[in-house]
Amino acid sequence: MRITINGKGIDVSDYMRDVVAKRVFKLEKLLREDTEAQVMLSMFMGRPVCEITIPFHGIEMRAADASANMYASIDTAYTKIHRQ
């Protein structure tokens, strides 16, 4: 699985990249190896937002969350996409 992590209006630290990668790599056992996940971390109205997009078999799975902090947003977005 390939993961692309981008920040929009924020600097993404190495630790934050590691947290995102660990979460999204857990989906690897459910998806094919050549799947590409795109993660966008941004701020919207002062709240951190995490968006995860995974194109899969002609459809696009997408989950987003805005929480009190970025790590909570990452966890909640991962949970949403895992349920899909």
Side-chain angles (χ1 to χ4, degrees):
M1 174 176 270
R2 294 181 310 269
I3 301 174
T4 304
I5 303 169
N6 295 315
K8 184 177 180 182
I10 64 168
D11 292 325
V12 182
S13 66
D14 291 335
Y15 179 74
M16 196 176 301
R17 285 183 190 278
D18 290 341
V19 169
V20 171
K22 285 179 186 175
R23 286 288 185 197
V24 176
F25 270 124
K26 288 183 180 181
L27 298 170
E28 188 173 32
K29 43 188 165 173
L30 303 174
L31 304 170
R32 296 186 318 206
E33 290 181 17
D34 63 341
T35 304
E36 182 174 347
Q38 299 169 355
V39 181
M40 175 64 72
L41 305 173
S42 61
M43 296 293 283
F44 180 71
M45 298 183 76
R47 295 180 69 184
V49 178
C50 175
E51 300 174 17
I52 302 172
T53 306
I54 301 174
F56 184 69
H57 288 296
I59 61 170
E60 191 171 88
M61 297 189 303
R62 184 174 179 279
D65 186 66
S67 297
N69 65 38
M70 186 60 77
Y71 300 106
S73 296
I74 293 167
D75 289 341
T76 307
Y78 163 76
T79 303
K80 287 179 181 180
I81 199 123
H82 187 267
R83 279 188 271 157
Q84 289 183 20

